[in-house]
Amino acid sequence: KFPLILKRYTILKAICYGTPLFITWIPPQCSLAILLITFDRFVAIRFPFRYQSHLTGKRVFCIVMVTWLIMALKCIVEVVLVLNTTVLSIEYDPRRKRCFLYPTIYAFVSQTAFFVVPFVIIVGFYATILHEIFKQIRHKSKRRLLRTMKVIITTTLITVGFFVTWFPYYITLTE
């Protein structure tokens, strides 16, 4: 039988290894989800008459499943890196009862793949959306113009909100 203190240490160590992996899974998944929402809006505005034929329920389901598979593979890679290499290390300090995640080059690769690239794509999609809206503004009534301005404000808030909420997290990964 294990002494109680050893059991507690083992449980805390398991939580220590699991928590950072879970935490590193949530922000990239959010980035990809926002990217998918942006893509949906892009197709709806850029190709309004072909939207229903391009984004069928089956295609959307496949795209969402691919993003979840990408994130599952990312988690598997992180577990392998934690257990077998020093590229990503997690340590538990029993005296302080704290976990420490020590990212190295992995943080830079993760930051680039799951924050910088989606952010650039999102900005590109929204720039194209705004360009399309401004092209169509000339032909719309004041009522439609007001609705268009709401879309512009919403897209700007989504992009700024994405950057403001996730940028500090990714900066702390590289410290």
Side-chain angles (χ1 to χ4, degrees):
K1 299 263 181 179
F2 289 111
L4 181 61
I5 204 140
L6 186 57
K7 283 184 184 178
R8 197 169 113 206
Y9 175 73
T10 306
I11 292 170
L12 289 175
K13 190 172 181 183
I15 292 171
C16 177
Y17 281 118
T19 303
L21 294 178
F22 184 71
I23 290 171
T24 60
W25 179 76
I26 292 172
Q29 183 62 33
C30 289
S31 295
L32 293 179
I34 292 172
L35 181 62
L36 291 179
I37 292 168
T38 305
F39 176 72
D40 176 68
R41 295 298 81 212
F42 170 76
V43 173
I45 290 174
R46 184 83 166 99
F47 308 106
F49 299 115
R50 292 183 269 173
Y51 176 76
Q52 293 293 331
S53 63
H54 283 314
L55 289 179
T56 63
K58 196 174 192 178
R59 285 185 185 161
V60 169
F61 178 78
C62 289
I63 291 169
V64 169
M65 290 309 296
V66 166
T67 61
W68 279 89
L69 286 173
I70 289 169
M71 294 314 301
L73 287 173
K74 179 183 181 294
C75 284
I76 291 169
V77 166
E78 287 177 357
V79 168
V80 169
L81 289 175
V82 166
L83 296 177
N84 298 323
T85 68
T86 59
V87 174
L88 181 67
S89 64
I90 301 172
E91 293 179 12
Y92 176 70
D93 184 358
R95 288 180 314 165
R96 291 199 252 168
K97 296 181 181 175
R98 286 198 57 200
C99 291
F100 296 97
L101 175 65
Y102 297 107
T104 53
I105 191 71
Y106 176 79
F108 177 75
V109 172
S110 177
Q111 180 179 12
T112 302
F114 293 105
F115 179 73
V116 175
V117 171
F119 183 71
V120 169
I121 293 171
I122 288 169
V123 168
F125 277 149
Y126 279 134
T128 305
I129 288 170
L130 292 176
H131 181 307
E132 284 294 318
I133 289 172
F134 283 128
K135 266 186 3 186
Q136 295 174 9
I137 280 179
R138 293 181 220 123
H139 309 292
K140 292 187 176 183
S141 66
K142 290 198 183 246
R143 185 175 165 198
R144 284 191 172 176
L145 182 63
L146 181 62
R147 197 172 78 193
T148 303
M149 289 308 293
K150 287 180 183 178
V151 170
I152 292 171
I153 291 169
T154 302
T155 56
T156 303
L157 288 175
I158 289 172
T159 306
V160 169
F162 172 77
F163 184 77
V164 167
T165 55
W166 291 118
F167 184 70
Y169 169 78
Y170 283 104
I171 289 299
T172 60
L173 273 181
T174 56
E175 289 180 347

